[in-house]
Amino acid sequence: MSEPLAPKAFPVSWDQFHRDARALAWRLSASGPFDAMVCITRGGLVPAAIVSRELGIRLIETVCIASYHDYQTQGGLQVIKTVADTVRALDRGSKVLVVDDLVDTGKTVQMVREMLPGAHYATVYAKPLGRPLVDTFITEVSQDTWIYFPWDLGYSFQPPIAHGTQG
């Protein structure tokens, strides 16, 4: 029996993330205007700041859901803070944009879709299992890829790939 493959490393720099988030805003501009934005915390905070600036969205709300509990594995979902009633009311007649950094399995998006069924869902990165659940994304990566976001990284030496390490 073979062992499971180690996750592929996909480190993203601040510059690359900023370019990707602006590309997301550009792509979303054709779907707007949006009356409000909901960012899924914590990962959605940074792309939400960039997208809201680019699209001129001033009403920004958060929904707080914990899914990665040890930075490596996705555990059970826990709603820490739901969407404000004022934004939920907008979902019935206006355009609400929901932003996150990544859709992985789609479990978080499914939970938020129950709160905001009429919203437009956008992520910077998407994995195959979650991709069908978002309306707009920029880059698809394989399901076995671990994205290292710039806010999770520090500067350190990285050995060459040829030496058998991936990150």
Side-chain angles (χ1 to χ4, degrees):
M1 182 166 111
S2 64
E3 291 191 29
L5 295 174
K8 298 173 188 141
F10 182 56
V12 178
S13 69
W14 281 109
D15 287 342
Q16 183 63 51
F17 191 82
H18 188 251
R19 281 191 299 274
D20 291 343
R22 286 193 75 213
L24 182 63
W26 183 264
R27 191 166 287 170
L28 288 166
S29 67
S31 300
F34 295 99
D35 297 321
M37 174 188 290
V38 174
C39 69
I40 300 173
T41 68
R42 290 179 310 216
L45 288 168
V46 176
I50 296 165
V51 170
S52 67
R53 177 195 181 270
E54 296 299 329
L55 299 183
I57 301 170
R58 296 285 184 171
L59 178 53
I60 303 167
E61 168 64 9
T62 60
V63 59
C64 307
I65 299 175
S67 61
Y68 285 95
H69 302 288
D70 62 4
Y71 288 97
Q72 293 293 325
T73 55
Q74 195 172 28
L77 298 179
Q78 177 186 4
V79 177
I80 300 167
K81 179 192 155 300
T82 190
V83 178
D85 289 339
T86 54
V87 175
R88 282 187 189 217
L90 286 175
D91 186 52
R92 291 176 181 81
S94 297
K95 288 193 165 188
V96 175
L97 173 63
V98 177
V99 174
D100 204 355
D101 56 352
L102 164 72
V103 61
D104 190 328
T105 63
K107 291 177 184 176
T108 301
V109 172
Q110 286 175 327
M111 184 172 275
V112 178
R113 272 203 189 274
E114 290 175 15
M115 297 174 205
L116 298 167
H120 185 101
Y121 288 78
T123 60
V124 182
Y125 304 105
K127 292 185 179 182
L129 287 176
R131 189 182 61 73
L133 299 169
V134 296
D135 302 302
T136 305
F137 68 95
I138 294 301
T139 302
E140 184 172 355
V141 298
S142 63
Q143 200 67 41
D144 64 341
T145 296
W146 185 265
I147 300 174
Y148 290 94
F149 289 101
W151 49 87
D152 291 327
L153 300 175
Y155 293 107
S156 66
F157 171 75
Q158 298 297 307
I161 292 172
H163 291 194
T165 62
Q166 291 189 4

